Amino acid sequence: MLRVSNIETFYGPSQALFGVDLTIVAGELVALMGRNGMGKTTTIRSVFGLTPPSAGSIEFEGKDITRAQGFRIAQMGLGLVPEGRRCFTNLSVRENLLATARAGHWDQTKVENLFPRLAERRDQSANTLSGGEQQMLAIGRALMTNPKLLVLDEATEGLAPVIRQEIWRAIRTLKAEGLSILLVDKTLKEVLPLASHCLILEKGQTVWAGEPDALTDDLKDRYLGV
């Protein structure tokens, strides 16, 4: 479904990615891991055309999207839940969902069934929601685009434990329904049982890729420990 091949990405004169490889097969949940500042968000930005790579290639369903504009990439079926949520704060919950709606399986009712809190707060402005509720809204907004591939960048970071569990429940539901997912998260206890495949970035490079069972304690300490 998605193939990222040896991409290099810069912010001005500063190079952030030095050859990242990533492959996602339809129906998989792939975990993108690494310490802070190692290139995970930049990889996602490169995939979505927000910070296009200067070298390498990105293909989605066999089509080259390396130089495609962000809105074209979204129209092809990639849905993004960005780090920091970034809801439309001056719109209501309902308006946030309808703003991105495309015909398909996911509609407002299904999103509200996945996150009942959003139904309870349907007419509230997004800026009145808690951080966890905003995260649910960001996920719901991405689902309303009816993506073929959902990308979640730190979807549970900084949330209260009870909200984190709601988010993880939703992710498990989405995976069970067969949605392809690229997930950035540091919570190995939650990530590894769900992941079909994992890869680790270190200083802007793919340094390890494999199945979750092959991720040894030594690898965790070397690349993911504090």
Side-chain angles (χ1 to χ4, degrees), residues 16-154:
L17 301 182
F18 296 83
V20 170
D21 297 298
L22 165 66
T23 300
I24 299 177
V25 175
E28 283 189 334
L29 187 153
V30 173
L32 178 60
M33 300 184 294
R35 296 185 183 92
N36 289 340
M38 293 301 169
K40 304 184 298 297
T41 294
T42 301
T43 298
I44 291 173
R45 290 181 59 86
S46 297
V47 168
F48 279 86
L50 301 174
T51 310
S54 60
S57 65
I58 303 171
E59 295 181 359
F60 182 67
E61 294 190 320
K63 298 178 181 178
D64 188 346
I65 62 170
T66 312
R67 300 288 181 268
Q69 295 174 287
F71 74 94
R72 297 292 186 196
I73 293 170
Q75 289 174 344
M76 293 175 69
L78 283 91
L80 174 62
V81 181
E83 186 177 20
R85 299 178 275 277
R86 301 183 189 179
C87 300
F88 303 126
T89 56
N90 61 328
L91 300 182
S92 69
V93 168
R94 178 176 178 274
E95 289 167 340
N96 265 271
L97 296 177
L98 295 181
T100 61
R102 296 176 65 191
H105 172 76
W106 287 98
D107 57 21
Q108 182 180 341
T109 298
K110 287 187 172 64
V111 168
E112 290 178 348
N113 288 338
L114 184 67
F115 294 119
R117 289 172 184 247
L118 297 183
E120 297 169 5
R121 291 153 175 74
R122 184 180 301 151
D123 297 320
Q124 286 185 220
S125 295
N127 62 1
T128 68
L129 303 180
S130 69
E133 291 163 350
Q134 288 185 7
Q135 187 65 70
M136 294 175 191
L137 181 55
I139 295 172
R141 182 182 59 186
L143 290 172
M144 289 289 284
T145 70
N146 277 284
K148 299 174 183 178
L149 172 64
L150 181 66
V151 180
L152 300 115
D153 191 0
E154 301 285 8

